[in-house]
Amino acid sequence: CMAAELMAAGYSDKEAILAQLKLKAKYMWRPSLLNPKDKLPHTIKKAALFPFNKEMHGLVRFSDLLSFEITDVYDVKYSGHVGAATDHLLGDQTVTSLKVQNINKIDWERIDTLILGHMEQLSAAINYDDLLADLLVQAQKHGVFVYAFDDLTSVLQSLDTPPEVYFPSVTSKDLPSFQFGKLYRISKPVLGVFGTSSKQGKFTVQLELRRRFLKAGYEIGQIGTEPTALLYGMDCVFPFGYHTTVQLDRYDVVRYLNYEVSQLCEKSEIILVGSQSGIVSYDLGNLQQIPLVNYEFLIGTQPDAVILCVNPYDSIDFLEKTIGLLESAASAKVIALVLFPMKLKSNWSGIYGGKTKMAAEEITEVKEWLFKTFNRPVFCLGVPEEMDQLAEISAEFFAVDSSINE
């Protein structure tokens, strides 16, 4: 090597050798200073939610996982939610019951943080393009911190005095030092939650597992792919779903995630990760149908075991392809299936025709069919006892398969 040649030429001092290497180098890779993106700049104590959409539903359902209090929930008057209670809207009397209020009457004095969900479609639907800017102006006036799901850079730049705002994002500034293609070997068990499509409760499954693992006393490291991840106390957010704020692709995604998982090994007994949408394409007729980033997420996180979320209308062929990809590409073991108990309203219109809840006997029938076909335990999302069992078999898998920790 070049260092040996320099020593043979009479350079014996370390500093002299380094100086010669620097002179002869074609390019020098400099270590990047990682952006502390996973640390909130503000301690949240009392927060309001707006609008009351899917991501906000999760915050209410799993409020026991939050380190702060949700004091108020707001929406626009056109939503049909104003005046209704959150437990009624969610159809679950066990969740926190808060009356949804009109955003035009927000009480800024009751909160230190406003959690803003996705706003683009809402602003367009109610023909109020300045809604976001107006809320930010009021937040600054009352000294309220804003946790946003979307990249608000352009709006913030238009304000004379913007409020303190955080939104999750991952850019090239967050990449670890370049290591010439080398990746970390992961020393702790990684449990992944993947699926066959979008909108089938993958993040809910991750929260159910988080709740039970923490209660059981496990040290959990977790990477979440929803913008709410840090609010639940997860260690890293990689929001590559709807309105993604991830500005990486290909090898950089793998490099970034591999580094983050390796860092979690230092403090965790189990590392929990979860993907977006499906990992196998239904159709190759459009680039939007090819889930490349989901494959990159799989390779970057390298799960040892996978829980696969499935739909009742997934075909045997499609499920076999999905399980085959997960178990071959990442050398993972699909240890369980979780059924999302919603069926298509109309087969001819597919997912675009809407869904309806399955009857109890239908759920039992599909679970039995899945178990018989794939010889893996099957659980139904939304049934607490079955989520308990799912957490138990996940922990037992790693306890039995000791080779994972070797």
Side-chain angles (χ1 to χ4, degrees):
C1 68
M2 186 173 293
E5 293 176 358
L6 289 171
M7 292 178 68
Y11 294 96
S12 57
D13 180 71
K14 176 183 176 182
E15 296 301 323
I17 292 175
L18 290 175
Q20 288 299 310
L21 290 173
K22 183 176 180 180
L23 288 172
K24 298 176 182 295
K26 293 182 179 179
Y27 186 84
M28 288 192 297
W29 292 98
R30 301 183 184 277
S32 57
L33 297 176
L34 295 186
N35 181 20
K37 66 203 171 310
D38 296 331
K39 301 296 182 183
L40 290 176
H42 175 85
T43 299
I44 303 174
K45 296 180 180 178
K46 295 181 180 293
L49 313 181
F50 173 74
F52 192 52
N53 56 16
K54 184 189 78 168
E55 291 80 12
M56 302 304 186
H57 295 176
L59 291 173
V60 173
R61 287 186 186 278
F62 293 91
S63 59
D64 58 302
L65 295 177
L66 306 176
S67 61
F68 56 88
E69 177 188 359
I70 299 174
T71 59
D72 299 292
V73 178
Y74 293 97
D75 213 328
V76 295
K77 63 181 180 180
Y78 308 102
S79 66
H81 296 156
V82 175
T86 52
D87 57 340
H88 172 73
L89 292 171
L90 296 175
D92 186 351
Q93 299 304 308
T94 66
V95 304
T96 303
S97 181
L98 293 168
K99 183 179 178 180
V100 180
Q101 304 173 69
N102 191 330
I103 188 61
N104 292 334
K105 299 179 180 180
I106 183 171
D107 186 349
W108 294 99
E109 301 304 321
R110 282 173 50 84
I111 59 175
D112 58 70
T113 301
L114 176 63
I115 300 176
L116 277 179
H118 298 299
M119 296 282 292
E120 184 178 17
Q121 291 185 353
L122 176 63
S123 297
I126 64 175
N127 195 28
Y128 188 174
D129 293 338
D130 294 329
L131 173 59
L132 176 56
D134 289 349
L135 287 172
L136 294 177
V137 168
Q138 289 299 312
Q140 191 281 328
K141 179 180 178 181
H142 293 88
V144 170
F145 171 69
V146 176
Y147 185 107
F149 297 175
D150 296 325
D151 184 338
L152 303 186
T153 302
S154 60
V155 181
L156 293 171
Q157 290 175 344
S158 69
L159 302 179
D160 293 332
T161 309
E164 185 179 18
V165 173
Y166 172 89
F167 54 85
S169 67
V170 183
T171 70
S172 58
K173 293 180 180 180
D174 301 312
L175 287 170
S177 301
F178 185 76
Q179 299 184 76
F180 301 94
K182 293 185 292 183
L183 298 175
Y184 291 93
R185 300 291 183 182
I186 305 305
S187 60
K188 295 295 176 65
V190 180
L191 176 62
V193 178
F194 288 75
T196 57
S197 72
S198 60
K199 299 180 180 179
Q200 57 180 178
K202 288 180 289 295
F203 195 63
T204 299
V205 172
Q206 295 164 62
L207 292 173
E208 295 280 12
L209 291 171
R210 180 177 181 82
R211 174 186 279 165
R212 287 160 175 79
F213 285 158
L214 290 175
K215 185 177 180 180
Y218 288 104
E219 293 292 336
I220 301 299
Q222 192 163 3
I223 297 176
T225 57
E226 293 289 348
T228 53
L230 297 185
L231 297 175
Y232 294 106
M234 297 183 192
D235 303 276
C236 175
V237 57
F238 189 76
F240 73 98
Y242 179 74
H243 271 214
T244 179
T245 49
V246 173
Q247 300 175 36
L248 304 177
D249 58 17
R250 301 297 296 276
Y251 292 137
D252 283 345
V253 171
V254 175
R255 181 157 67 100
Y256 172 81
L257 290 169
N258 172 258
Y259 173 80
E260 291 293 340
V261 173
S262 74
Q263 297 303 295
L264 294 179
C265 290
E266 299 179 6
K267 64 166 212 171
S268 310
E269 294 176 290
I270 298 177
I271 298 171
L272 185 58
V273 302
S275 186
Q276 290 279 337
S277 192
I279 196 164
V280 173
S281 176
Y282 278 108
D283 181 77
L284 297 176
N286 189 292
L287 289 174
Q288 296 300 317
Q289 299 294 324
I290 304 175
L292 290 178
V293 68
N294 295 8
Y295 179 75
E296 294 160 1
F297 185 88
L298 173 67
I299 300 302
T301 55
Q302 301 175 33
D304 302 292
V306 167
I307 295 167
L308 179 62
C309 296
V310 303
N311 303 301
Y313 47 84
D314 290 333
S315 68
I316 292 179
D317 178 64
F318 190 72
L319 289 172
E320 287 177 340
K321 288 179 179 178
T322 302
I323 293 173
L325 175 59
L326 290 167
E327 294 193 336
S328 59
S331 298
K333 172 67 176 177
V334 177
I335 61 173
L337 308 180
V338 174
L339 174 65
F340 184 58
M342 300 291 287
K343 63 181 181 178
L344 299 176
K345 286 184 177 180
S346 171
N347 288 329
W348 66 267
S349 56
I351 60 175
Y352 302 104
K355 299 177 182 179
T356 184
K357 190 172 179 60
M358 299 171 66
E361 58 271 17
E362 292 177 312
I363 293 173
T364 299
E365 182 180 346
V366 173
K367 285 177 60 182
E368 291 176 350
W369 171 74
L370 288 168
F371 177 74
K372 181 179 179 180
T373 305
F374 298 101
N375 193 30
R376 289 170 171 82
V378 184
F379 305 96
C380 182
L381 182 61
V383 181
E385 296 78 12
E386 298 195 26
M387 293 297 98
D388 291 342
Q389 296 168 17
L390 177 64
E392 288 173 9
I393 70 158
S394 299
E396 288 171 0
F397 174 81
F398 292 120
V400 172
D401 191 355
S402 60
S403 63
I404 290 172
N405 290 310
E406 293 178 356

